[in-house]
Amino acid sequence: MTLTLTVSDEVRTLAPSFTHVVVEAHGLVNGPSDARSSALLDAAARRLTERLDGRAPHEDPHMVAWRAAYGDFGAKPSRTRNSAEALARRALADGGLPRINLLVDAYNAISVAHLVPVGGEDTDHIKGGMRLIRATGDESFPTVAGGEESVEHPEPGEVVWCDDAGVTCRRWNWRQGVRTRLTEESVNALFLLEGLAPMTNGELDAAGAELAATLEQLSPGARITVHPPR
């Protein structure tokens, strides 16, 4: 893999069952949302409805596990929901899922269909390796608030993804930073699918394989590698 991803011992202690699949892609073609990506999102919402069978997203066993993990590092899961639960709630609401761009729509569709947190990072903007750590509180997190650029700092003990330049995603998978997000100009990317028990490695691997297949359809000729759960 071009980038190294490491999970700190502190995070392993907090969530021993945590595992992740990485889909690495080079030579992608991104662009505005279109009929293809819209169809992916609509199909994902239908699959979610069938999966939940009348339950609310937070009642799914995988979402229950993520809520517990969020609580263990001090976050309030009903206020700062993991990315999969937040997307699932939007998928079931009247407005439906947002349309962002082809690549973001693709990984959001996988997240909703499989109820698994998925993130996408532009690897051309990652500095050094990526690390999942418990923050000291001194790390920087550039973001946009109220239309204005600003810099936040995670709370001490908060689980964050970071690289050598700062935090790339706060509260595990709650809010991605602007520096590494996928834009219509992105051509090289890393997609991260994150699981906790009771989600199995096989289920996480299946979600990663479906994402890889979707990316191949949207970007014929792209070089895509799925790195198995670890």
Side-chain angles (χ1 to χ4, degrees):
M1 186 160 57
T2 305
L3 290 177
T4 59
L5 278 76
T6 58
V7 179
S8 72
D9 290 341
E10 287 184 315
V11 174
R12 292 290 187 195
T13 298
L14 176 75
S17 72
F18 174 69
T19 187
H20 60 279
V21 163
V22 174
V23 179
E24 184 180 10
H26 299 274
L28 294 165
V29 178
N30 201 6
S33 302
D34 62 15
R36 296 173 299 167
S37 66
S38 186
L40 290 171
L41 292 169
D42 289 342
R46 291 192 294 270
R47 291 167 65 182
L48 173 68
T49 299
E50 293 173 1
R51 177 191 183 104
L52 290 174
D53 193 24
R55 296 174 299 170
H58 70 267
E59 296 174 305
D60 180 86
H62 193 211
M63 297 299 94
V64 171
W66 275 107
R67 281 188 163 227
Y70 268 47
D72 286 344
F73 68 79
K76 295 182 179 179
S78 60
R79 293 180 58 188
T80 55
R81 297 177 177 88
N82 74 81
S83 62
E85 183 182 331
L87 273 177
R89 286 169 57 90
R90 294 192 70 172
L92 298 175
D94 290 341
L97 287 165
R99 272 57 173 167
I100 310 297
N101 59 55
L102 290 178
L103 295 180
V104 175
D105 291 354
Y107 78 71
N108 279 349
I110 296 299
S111 178
V112 168
H114 292 265
L115 260 185
V116 58
V118 184
E121 306 284 351
D122 187 322
T123 53
D124 291 333
H125 295 286
I126 296 289
K127 307 300 182 184
M130 292 181 61
R131 303 178 297 279
L132 186 64
I133 64 169
R134 300 197 70 174
T136 65
D138 295 328
E139 298 88 352
S140 63
F141 179 71
T143 187
V144 175
E148 299 291 331
E149 294 184 0
S150 63
V151 176
E152 298 177 354
H153 299 277
E155 299 171 4
E158 182 181 324
V159 176
V160 298
W161 279 102
C162 64
D163 65 3
D164 292 351
V167 173
T168 58
C169 194
R170 284 197 61 187
R171 294 179 187 162
W172 216 318
N173 46 47
W174 169 63
R175 182 191 293 170
Q176 185 183 28
V178 296
R179 173 169 57 90
T180 61
R181 66 185 176 186
L182 296 176
T183 69
E184 292 182 18
E185 288 72 44
S186 298
V187 293
N188 301 309
L190 178 152
F191 301 88
L192 184 65
L193 297 84
E194 301 178 291
L196 294 170
M199 174 166 269
T200 66
N201 282 359
E203 290 170 326
L204 194 61
D205 207 17
E210 184 177 342
L211 176 56
T214 299
L215 294 173
E216 288 171 352
Q217 292 174 354
L218 294 174
S219 296
R223 305 184 306 281
I224 300 170
T225 305
V226 180
H227 300 275
R230 62 186 183 91

